[in-house]
Amino acid sequence: MKKNLLIAQSGGPSAVINATLAGVIERAQMSGEIEKILGGIHGIKGVMEGNIVELDLYNTSRLGLLTHTPSSALGTCRLKLKNDPEEFKKITDTFKKHNIGYFVYIGGNDSMDTVMQLSKYCESQNMDVRVVGAPKTIDNDLEEMDHTPGFGSAAKYIAASVSEIFCDVMAYEVKTLTVVEIMGRNAGWLTAAAALSAANGGPAPHFIYLPEVAFSDEKFLRDVRSQHEKTSYALVVVSEGLKFANGKYVCESDNQTIDAFGHKALSGTAARLTQLGKAEIGCKVRPIEFSLLQRCAAHIASATDVAEAKVLGSVSLSAALSGQTGVMSRILRKSSSPYRVEYSMVETSKVANNEKRVPVEWLNAEQNHVNDKMLEYLFPLIQGESQISFKNGVPEYFPAIR
Amino acid sequence: MKKNLLIAQSGGPSAVINATLAGVIERAQMSGEIEKILGGIHGIKGVMEGNIVELDLYNTSRLGLLTHTPSSALGTCRLKLKNDPEEFKKITDTFKKHNIGYFVYIGGNDSMDTVMQLSKYCESQNMDVRVVGAPKTIDNDLEEMDHTPGFGSAAKYIAASVSEIFCDVMAYEVKTLTVVEIMGRNAGWLTAAAALSAANGGPAPHFIYLPEVAFSDEKFLRDVRSQHEKTSYALVVVSEGLKFANGKYVCESDNQTIDAFGHKALSGTAARLTQLGKAEIGCKVRPIEFSLLQRCAAHIASATDVAEAKVLGSVSLSAALSGQTGVMSRILRKSSSPYRVEYSMVETSKVANNEKRVPVEWLNAEQNHVNDKMLEYLFPLIQGESQISFKNGVPEYFPAIR
């Protein structure tokens, strides 16, 4: 008797996590080996709670719409398994109740820890459920692979938006400091992607500060002042996770912002650095946080990223169908120019709970910008424009599945 | 002997102010009545200082690129004439030196004051210079016209981005409050445009607060709490210019944020309202400011807006060529469905220094959202996707002219 497939999504949303979901569904539909395709709502939490829906999406145009819809259509959670028998029992009860033979979990490194633990548990219980992962994170911080799906689209959004912000700030004659803050608490991949704004010969950010390098207020002010000797505007891109040499986050500095209600508030890194610039340099300042926009702007997704994300979903299910468990799909790069990749599976134990950070050899000598190695790495990942459908003047997206 | 044409841009940038510039240039090239096309760098300030360049753009593809490039390619200024003979003399000296017969100034209501004053001065001096304006402002706050170019593209960016932010916030199960802050100090047109996120039947922001209505913390908290009874997420869109009934800006409330350097800092309206929500409701909060992105995101400009902006440039120069001065071009709406407009000229004296605000009859009874009248007005303005050219994965834009 054929088994059913269960799919769930986890962690922070991205522009292409639904493309991976669509890839799994499409592969399942073609396989002939799967009875029903089910979705777990709000990640492993929903699986535990038995919150399961049937994904009745056997229509190509619906799958196409899902492919281009940002964020997690099935909902997400931020739950890390505690290696607790109670939790495993709840999950496997759901598996039994719904006759699950395959579970595909799409997420980042916490989610791969779930895949690892759960596959071991199922094996230990002699349960015939193949548990596999598919990668997802805009942060690009997963080990054992060239890059993660979601990253390229966020990078493209950032590169395009920085190029447009440049058009804006260059229009003024007065001295200004604009600081753009990018997501990525520990890894500076996305922040580095701002350098791609110069892909057509336009200006690159004057300085790029990554969390991999200890931040210094003095160096920052020196850098900005040196730029102001050349242009009236200085445009700086920073990671939200910048830290001083003493390990403190820049956004949690001692002189912390007190919010309107008397509580200590985490003001953003960009906010603090523009306050510093205003106090010390006296120019007009503007902090800009890309916030959620960088991870959900599917209208400017990278076509390369969307296509790869979909393939990864398909590859993950193929592995499960061929009997693998405890593994996840990944992309490896064969060459950058021409851009060639290959897909394979990797043990989740090698990926879970690790973070891949930017190598300092990909930064310039002053460590306040990236060098050509980084640009060569980034460039292929933002190529191609995703063909989303606009209707009534706004993008048309797949409704949330609940 | 043929005279020369001078063009300059002023005020805050928009996604289509260069489309108007391109429209003036194209009309000038076709006219056969103009010797040289010149640009004043950084608006009327550059004209005063004699900072003039020749716009040697007689190539259709270059004009096409300029048309789709955001912000002011000629640079901008925020200078309001003081009706000072000294200033007029500097400007008219530049006119004489460069044999200017036509001056087209593209800008908002301060710029139209410049057009008005300058045209009167030229007439008083019997100088044969026709001074005309072309409208521009994302704020949509100019009187005597249906809408302003730049508004539709900013509205489209806002509608699309809010629809994408919805995809993101709906993925979570935990209780959240997201507050999106939109530009428009005194007029809520752009803030209202967030309602267009529902154009395809997706969700609209739960509440929209405009500066035309006195803001109340209590009402805001009541609204958010009522939404939390229905969904775990509440998404609210606010104008940066919200004021309490006592006339104080919400972002300048008494319990003001003290920045990291001990100064009173204007924290944003969204930042303050999320702090309030966190303190009173205790949910997860996220303030999002669209900041410069909403006025320079040409990659998602409204094709309707781009086309209209270009025509307005052409219409302005046509008026100058036919002998008019002290006037500006405008759009009037004949019907919304089907969308039909006509172009005409209007005295700048009727436009300068006025602000058109949102009529309260276009809000719902509770004044915390818009009604169908507003939607009918907004809808046509965001239709059509601008065909910008991507190269190397990022939009290709015209370099700044200096």
Side-chain angles (χ1 to χ4, degrees):
Chain A
M1 184 189 154
K2 284 184 195 170
K3 296 270 194 148
N4 296 329
L5 162 67
L6 179 63
I7 318 168
Q9 298 172 310
S10 178
S14 84
V16 305
I17 184 168
N18 288 330
T20 302
L21 174 60
V24 180
I25 294 172
E26 203 174 82
R27 179 73 185 83
Q29 289 174 351
M30 292 189 308
S31 74
E33 299 175 49
I34 285 163
E35 183 69 30
K36 281 197 284 187
I37 305 172
L38 306 175
I41 301 303
H42 294 302
I44 199 68
K45 186 163 174 289
V47 176
M48 256 184 238
E49 295 166 356
N51 194 353
I52 305 295
V53 296
E54 193 164 341
L55 300 177
D56 192 14
L57 305 160
Y58 292 87
N59 166 312
T60 307
S61 81
R62 293 267 293 165
L63 271 184
L65 193 60
L66 177 64
T67 298
H68 293 98
T69 296
S71 186
S72 314
L74 291 171
T76 188
C77 68
R78 288 202 182 274
L79 185 75
K80 194 163 173 176
L81 292 190
K82 294 183 290 286
N83 209 349
D84 167 3
E86 203 50 38
E87 285 182 340
F88 289 134
K89 186 167 180 314
K90 283 183 190 167
I91 295 168
T92 49
D93 281 352
T94 297
F95 285 176
K96 286 172 195 161
K97 181 177 170 196
H98 292 279
N99 190 31
I100 303 300
Y102 315 94
F103 176 48
V104 181
Y105 203 33
I106 311 168
N109 51 28
D110 281 352
S111 313
M112 294 313 130
D113 182 74
T114 299
V115 171
M116 180 177 68
Q117 289 191 41
L118 196 54
S119 62
K120 281 185 195 162
Y121 180 81
C122 288
E123 286 183 304
S124 75
Q125 304 293 306
N126 288 314
M127 282 183 68
D128 185 23
V129 182
R130 291 98 184 246
V131 181
V132 297
K136 176 281 328 170
T137 172
I138 63 163
D139 292 336
N140 198 38
D141 59 355
L142 298 191
E143 289 282 8
E144 301 289 332
M145 60 198 72
D146 183 69
H147 59 278
T148 59
F151 172 67
S153 293
K156 188 182 184 85
Y157 175 87
I158 288 165
S161 297
V162 168
S163 81
E164 293 177 330
I165 288 173
F166 253 119
C167 290
D168 196 298
V169 301
M170 290 193 303
Y172 290 92
E173 232 183 345
V174 293
K175 198 193 274 190
T176 59
L177 165 62
T178 304
V179 180
V180 177
E181 177 174 333
I182 306 286
M183 283 180 168
R185 203 69 178 164
N186 300 312
W189 297 104
L190 270 184
T191 306
L196 293 169
S197 68
N200 293 330
H206 300 122
F207 305 103
I208 295 178
Y209 303 103
L210 306 191
E212 284 83 355
V213 178
F215 187 81
S216 151
D217 280 353
E218 293 66 38
K219 176 72 168 68
F220 165 76
L221 289 168
R222 237 179 5 252
D223 285 348
V224 173
R225 285 190 170 109
S226 74
Q227 184 57 38
H228 279 149
E229 287 171 17
K230 296 175 211 155
T231 55
S232 61
Y233 49 92
L235 197 153
V236 173
V237 178
V238 302
S239 159
E240 62 178 353
L242 287 187
K243 283 178 181 173
F244 296 115
N246 66 10
K248 274 205 155 179
Y249 281 111
V250 169
C251 64
E252 294 174 327
S253 62
D254 286 339
N255 305 314
Q256 204 176 24
T257 300
I258 307 297
D259 77 20
F261 306 93
H263 306 127
K264 275 197 172 188
L266 263 195
S267 73
T269 304
R272 184 186 172 279
L273 293 181
T274 49
Q275 287 158 11
L276 177 66
K278 194 175 181 182
E280 298 293 327
I281 299 175
C283 57
K284 275 191 75 168
V285 298
R286 189 183 288 267
I288 300 178
E289 287 183 40
F290 283 165
S291 188
L292 299 185
L293 296 164
Q294 62 202 291
R295 71 183 194 192
C296 63
H299 76 270
I300 191 170
S302 153
T304 300
D305 189 28
V306 174
E308 290 179 344
K310 201 169 171 197
V311 172
L312 284 163
S314 172
V315 166
S316 289
L317 181 56
S318 293
L321 289 169
S322 74
Q324 296 186 62
T325 190
V327 292
M328 69 181 294
S329 55
R330 65 169 167 186
I331 307 176
L332 295 174
R333 187 184 305 215
K334 307 301 289 176
S335 79
S336 287
S337 177
Y339 179 59
R340 296 268 182 276
V341 295
E342 63 177 22
Y343 300 88
S344 60
M345 302 302 288
V346 61
E347 293 292 326
T348 44
S349 56
K350 293 187 180 165
V351 179
N353 310 315
N354 285 326
E355 275 181 331
K356 185 173 73 175
R357 310 188 74 192
V358 171
V360 288
E361 309 87 72
W362 290 13
L363 305 181
N364 66 353
E366 289 226 39
Q367 301 195 327
N368 59 10
H369 220 291
V370 303
N371 65 25
D372 285 349
K373 282 183 205 145
M374 176 63 95
L375 291 173
E376 187 191 344
Y377 169 79
L378 294 171
F379 185 76
L381 309 181
I382 66 161
Q383 299 308 310
E385 287 67 59
S386 176
Q387 297 307 313
I388 64 157
S389 74
F390 275 80
K391 200 170 121 186
N392 294 317
V394 293
E396 188 184 9
Y397 289 133
F398 199 95
I401 303 165
R402 292 295 176 273
Chain B
M1 183 188 152
K2 285 184 195 171
K3 296 270 195 151
N4 296 329
L5 161 67
L6 180 63
I7 318 169
Q9 297 172 312
S10 178
S14 85
V16 304
I17 184 168
N18 288 330
T20 303
L21 173 60
V24 180
I25 294 171
E26 202 173 83
R27 179 71 185 86
Q29 289 173 352
M30 291 188 308
S31 75
E33 298 176 48
I34 284 164
E35 182 68 30
K36 281 196 286 188
I37 305 173
L38 306 175
I41 302 301
H42 293 302
I44 199 69
K45 186 163 174 288
V47 176
M48 256 184 237
E49 295 165 357
N51 194 353
I52 306 295
V53 295
E54 192 162 341
L55 299 178
D56 192 15
L57 305 161
Y58 292 86
N59 165 315
T60 308
S61 81
R62 294 266 293 164
L63 271 185
L65 194 59
L66 176 64
T67 298
H68 293 98
T69 297
S71 185
S72 313
L74 293 171
T76 188
C77 67
R78 288 202 181 274
L79 186 75
K80 197 165 172 174
L81 292 189
K82 295 183 288 286
N83 210 349
D84 167 4
E86 203 46 40
E87 286 182 340
F88 289 135
K89 187 168 179 312
K90 283 184 190 166
I91 295 167
T92 49
D93 281 352
T94 296
F95 285 177
K96 285 172 193 159
K97 181 177 168 195
H98 292 279
N99 190 31
I100 303 301
Y102 315 94
F103 176 48
V104 181
Y105 203 33
I106 311 168
N109 52 27
D110 281 352
S111 312
M112 294 312 130
D113 182 75
T114 298
V115 170
M116 180 178 68
Q117 289 191 40
L118 195 56
S119 62
K120 281 185 192 160
Y121 181 82
C122 287
E123 286 183 303
S124 74
Q125 303 294 308
N126 288 316
M127 280 183 68
D128 184 21
V129 182
R130 290 99 184 245
V131 181
V132 298
K136 176 280 326 169
T137 171
I138 63 164
D139 292 336
N140 199 38
D141 60 355
L142 299 190
E143 290 280 9
E144 301 289 331
M145 60 198 72
D146 182 70
H147 59 278
T148 59
F151 172 67
S153 293
K156 187 182 185 86
Y157 174 87
I158 289 165
S161 297
V162 167
S163 81
E164 293 177 330
I165 289 173
F166 253 118
C167 290
D168 196 299
V169 302
M170 289 193 304
Y172 290 92
E173 233 183 345
V174 293
K175 197 193 273 190
T176 58
L177 166 62
T178 305
V179 180
V180 177
E181 177 174 334
I182 306 286
M183 283 180 168
R185 202 72 179 163
N186 300 312
W189 297 104
L190 270 184
T191 306
L196 293 169
S197 68
N200 294 330
H206 299 122
F207 305 102
I208 295 178
Y209 303 102
L210 306 190
E212 283 83 355
V213 178
F215 186 82
S216 149
D217 280 352
E218 294 66 37
K219 176 73 169 67
F220 165 75
L221 289 169
R222 232 172 18 246
D223 286 347
V224 173
R225 285 191 171 109
S226 75
Q227 184 58 38
H228 279 151
E229 287 172 17
K230 296 175 213 154
T231 55
S232 60
Y233 48 91
L235 199 153
V236 173
V237 178
V238 301
S239 160
E240 62 179 353
L242 287 188
K243 284 179 181 171
F244 296 114
N246 65 9
K248 275 206 155 180
Y249 281 111
V250 169
C251 64
E252 294 173 328
S253 63
D254 286 338
N255 306 312
Q256 204 176 23
T257 300
I258 307 297
D259 76 21
F261 306 93
H263 306 126
K264 276 196 173 188
L266 264 195
S267 73
T269 304
R272 183 184 173 282
L273 293 181
T274 50
Q275 288 158 11
L276 176 66
K278 194 175 181 183
E280 297 293 327
I281 299 175
C283 56
K284 275 192 74 168
V285 299
R286 189 182 288 267
I288 299 178
E289 288 184 38
F290 284 166
S291 188
L292 299 185
L293 296 164
Q294 64 203 289
R295 73 184 192 192
C296 63
H299 76 269
I300 192 170
S302 153
T304 300
D305 189 28
V306 173
E308 290 179 345
K310 199 166 172 199
V311 171
L312 284 162
S314 171
V315 166
S316 289
L317 182 57
S318 293
L321 289 169
S322 75
Q324 296 186 64
T325 190
V327 292
M328 70 181 294
S329 55
R330 67 170 165 184
I331 307 175
L332 296 174
R333 188 183 305 214
K334 305 302 288 176
S335 79
S336 287
S337 178
Y339 180 59
R340 295 269 182 275
V341 296
E342 63 177 24
Y343 299 89
S344 60
M345 302 301 290
V346 60
E347 294 291 326
T348 44
S349 56
K350 292 187 179 167
V351 179
N353 311 314
N354 286 326
E355 276 179 331
K356 183 172 76 175
R357 310 189 74 192
V358 171
V360 288
E361 309 88 71
W362 290 13
L363 304 182
N364 65 352
E366 289 227 40
Q367 301 196 327
N368 59 10
H369 220 291
V370 303
N371 65 25
D372 285 348
K373 281 182 204 147
M374 176 62 95
L375 291 172
E376 187 192 343
Y377 169 80
L378 293 171
F379 185 76
L381 309 181
I382 66 161
Q383 298 309 308
E385 287 67 59
S386 175
Q387 297 308 313
I388 64 155
S389 73
F390 275 82
K391 200 171 122 184
N392 294 318
V394 293
E396 189 184 8
Y397 289 134
F398 199 94
I401 303 164
R402 293 294 177 273

